Amino acid sequence: MELSERKKKVLRSIVDLYIRTAEPVGSKAIAELPDMNYSSATIRNEMAELTTLGYLEQPHTSAGRIPSPAGYRLYVDELMADYRLSMDEAHSINSAIEEKMQRVDKMVEKVARLVSQATDLPAISVASRQGGATVKRFELIQPGPGSIILVVMLSSDEVVNKLIKLPVQVGETELKLLSALLNATMTDLSAEEFTAGLMERVMNSAGSAASLVPVIVDFVTETLRRSASTNMAVAGQARLLQQPEYRNIDKAQRMLTTLDEDALSNLPAVMQNANGTKVLVGPENVAEELKDTSVVMTKFDIGDGLQGMIGVVGPTRMDYAKVTARLSYFAESLSKMFAKPEQAQLPQPEDEK
C-alpha cells in the first residue's frame, strides 16, 4: 500500500523525534512541530493507521509510538533528509584521518632511521595490513525495486557494503544465482586474482544479472587494495659506501640507484608467513637488484590490524649474529610500545635530539 504524503510526514517526524529523544512519541509532540499543520486528532488517526500497517509500534497501552523495523526501512529508503556535514565536522574527520596516517607514516620513517643507525646499514621499515584480506562471503540484499545492497565480508572480519542501482530488472531468482556464483568463484582471492578472464567467466554464467558483475568486481578489488595498504620507508642507503665491497664507484652507484622502495617492495610478502627473524643470503633474494646482498628481516605487531616489519640490507659478509640480535630487540621493544602506547615513547635518533 502506497502511503499518503501526510502519513509519510507523520512517520518521518516520529522517527526524527525518536532518534533524538529515545522516548515514545505522542501526537501532541508531533502537532507542536513548526512544520506540522495538522490537528492532534488527525495525527492520532494517522499514527493508529501507521501502527496497523506495521510502520509503528506501541510499547505500552497509554504510551506514544516508536518506529518498527518496517518504519525504519521506509524512513531510510524514502523519507530521511540528506545530512550535510558542517565545516567543523568535516574538518574534525579529516584531521583525525590525517593525524592517524601521519602517525603511521612518521613511525615508519623514524623506525627506519633508528634501525639504520643501530646497525650502520641501509634499513627498511614497513607497516601493512596483516596477511592481505580476501573475501570470505558475498551477500546480495534487495531492499526494494531498482536497487540491491552488496555486502562483502572480508577475511579480516571487516564488513563493507555498497548500494547498487540496477540497470535492468533483475529478479530474486537471478540474484540468488549471482550470489551463489560469486561465493563459488570469487572468495579467498587477492585483489590481483580478480582478473578480466575471471570476470568474463562469471558474467557468462550470470544470466540477466551479468551487468552487475563489473560493478561488483571494481568495488571488491578497490576494497581489497585499500585493506592491503602498505607504508614503507627506506633509510641509510649511503651507509653502504662505508663497506669495502662498495668502494668501487660504479658498483656503489648501481646499488644506490636500485636500493629504493620498488626494489624492496616484495620483502613484506616474504615475511608474511614467516616466524621470528628471516635471513635472505645473496641469490635467495627475490629482487634481482639484491642478488649481491643479504637481507635480514623480522616482524612486530602494531595493533589495529597492522603489522610492522623491519630489516636491513648489507654485504653478504655482514655480522649476522649482531644484526639479528639488534633487529629482534627492536621488534620486541616496538611490539611492547604499541601494546601500551601511553607508557612508552619511540626514542629519538641522535640527529633529531
Side-chain angles (χ1 to χ4, degrees):
M1 173 184 174
E2 177 67 23
L3 297 186
S4 66
E5 289 304 313
R6 186 164 66 189
K7 282 185 174 61
K8 289 181 179 179
K9 188 172 183 179
V10 170
L11 177 59
R12 179 173 61 243
S13 299
I14 290 172
V15 177
D16 286 338
L17 274 175
Y18 187 64
I19 288 172
R20 290 203 299 269
T21 67
E23 296 289 341
V25 180
S27 58
K28 183 179 178 182
I30 299 297
E32 291 175 349
L33 293 173
D35 62 341
M36 191 64 63
N37 52 1
Y38 308 121
S39 67
S40 291
T42 299
I43 293 170
R44 276 197 301 274
N45 290 335
E46 295 291 7
M47 291 172 68
E49 290 187 35
L50 287 167
T51 303
T52 302
L53 292 169
Y55 293 105
L56 296 177
E57 295 174 350
Q58 189 172 18
H60 307 290
T61 305
S62 59
R65 304 298 203 277
I66 65 174
S68 69
Y72 282 123
R73 180 75 268 164
L74 183 63
Y75 177 83
V76 169
D77 288 344
E78 299 182 28
L79 306 181
M80 67 179 180
D82 290 337
Y83 182 84
R84 296 181 64 85
L85 292 179
S86 67
M87 292 294 290
D88 287 343
E89 286 176 303
H91 178 71
S92 176
I93 293 171
N94 288 333
S95 296
I97 293 172
E98 289 172 7
E99 182 182 356
K100 176 69 174 178
M101 295 310 296
Q102 286 171 4
R103 279 206 302 270
V104 174
D105 287 344
K106 288 180 179 178
M107 178 277 293
V108 168
E109 293 172 5
K110 188 175 290 185
V111 167
R113 291 198 299 272
L114 285 166
V115 172
S116 177
Q117 179 180 302
T119 59
D120 204 26
L121 291 168
I124 174 177
S125 175
V126 178
S128 60
R129 289 285 167 192
Q130 294 185 23
T134 60
V135 177
K136 189 159 58 176
R137 183 163 182 79
F138 292 90
E139 294 285 352
L140 297 174
I141 302 170
Q142 192 163 22
S147 65
I148 63 166
I149 298 173
L150 167 67
V151 181
V152 180
M153 286 156 276
L154 302 180
S155 58
S156 59
D157 292 330
E158 182 183 0
V159 178
V160 294
N161 62 76
K162 178 181 177 64
L163 178 66
I164 301 175
K165 298 295 184 181
L166 295 176
V168 294
Q169 187 62 36
V170 179
E172 185 177 349
T173 302
E174 288 82 1
L175 284 179
K176 286 183 178 179
L177 170 64
L178 179 57
S179 181
L181 196 57
L182 295 173
N183 283 303
T185 60
M186 290 189 171
T187 54
D188 300 321
L189 301 179
S190 66
E192 292 71 26
E193 291 175 299
F194 280 81
T195 62
L198 173 62
M199 184 171 69
E200 185 178 354
R201 290 196 299 274
V202 175
M203 289 178 68
N204 290 338
S205 304
S208 61
S211 58
L212 295 175
V213 176
V215 179
I216 292 171
V217 169
D218 284 347
F219 175 71
V220 170
T221 52
E222 177 61 28
T223 298
L224 293 179
R225 288 193 178 103
R226 187 173 63 250
S227 176
S229 59
T230 298
N231 295 65
M232 177 184 293
V234 183
Q237 295 95 317
R239 293 180 186 274
L240 275 183
L241 298 178
Q242 302 171 17
Q243 304 296 328
E245 289 87 344
Y246 299 99
R247 286 175 183 163
N248 180 286
I249 297 299
D250 291 336
K251 185 176 181 180
Q253 187 174 18
R254 284 197 304 272
M255 177 54 66
L256 291 177
T257 301
T258 57
L259 194 58
D260 57 15
E261 293 184 11
D262 287 339
L264 301 172
S265 60
N266 288 320
L267 293 179
V270 174
M271 287 297 293
Q272 186 169 336
N273 298 316
N275 293 317
T277 301
K278 189 173 184 66
V279 179
L280 300 176
V281 179
E284 296 172 358
N285 281 290
V286 291
E288 186 64 33
E289 298 89 342
L290 303 176
K291 296 297 185 183
D292 293 328
T293 67
S294 285
V295 178
V296 183
M297 301 171 286
T298 193
K299 296 189 294 189
F300 62 94
D301 188 43
I302 298 175
D304 292 331
L306 288 169
Q307 180 139 79
M309 188 204 84
I310 50 177
V312 297
V313 180
T316 53
R317 60 163 191 87
M318 75 167 71
D319 190 334
Y320 294 100
K322 182 188 293 185
V323 169
T324 299
R326 289 184 176 178
L327 284 183
S328 297
Y329 184 79
F330 256 105
E332 183 179 347
S333 299
L334 288 165
S335 292
K336 289 178 179 177
M337 185 193 75
F338 284 108
K340 298 179 180 178
E342 72 281 0
Q343 297 181 12
Q345 291 185 343
L346 195 65
Q348 298 288 326
E350 290 179 0
D351 57 15
E352 292 189 352
K353 291 181 179 178

